[in-house]
Amino acid sequence: MLSAKENITDNASGILIEGVLESMAEYYSAELSQKVKRGIALTASKCKFFGGFIHYGYKVDEEKRFIIDEGTAPPFKHPPQCRFQF
């Protein structure tokens, strides 16, 4: 891996430095992934919107909480009854 900002030599110390830089980048990526997943789980546990698509029948208020959208929600207020008899 080469970078325009890094002057890594082709000798033994350059190989070591390159390995350390690659390891640091991989560690940073894995740590960031953990933090993002933890943040999403915490936000979801509070039933708050964390970005993306808002499902039909809902909207988001100023405090990022889900609320029912009265304009599109009526089909979901009374779901159809199951017609199968078991």
Side-chain angles (χ1 to χ4, degrees), residues 8-55:
I8 300 175
T9 59
D10 290 333
N11 59 15
S13 64
I15 294 170
L16 179 62
I17 291 172
E18 184 178 353
V20 169
L21 291 174
E22 287 175 0
S23 295
M24 288 174 55
E26 187 173 352
Y27 170 79
Y28 174 76
S29 178
E31 184 183 31
L32 182 61
S33 174
Q34 286 178 347
K35 288 179 180 179
V36 168
K37 288 176 184 177
R38 186 176 355 157
I40 289 173
L42 182 62
T43 303
S45 71
K46 295 178 183 179
C47 296
K48 291 193 173 184
F49 180 67
F50 52 85
F53 177 73
I54 300 173
H55 292 281

Side-chain angles (χ1 to χ4, degrees), residues 57-74:
Y58 292 95
K59 58 184 177 179
V60 177
D61 66 4
E62 304 83 34
E63 297 174 4
K64 295 186 176 183
R65 292 179 298 189
F66 288 102
I67 55 175
I68 295 175
D69 184 1
E70 297 298 331
T72 58

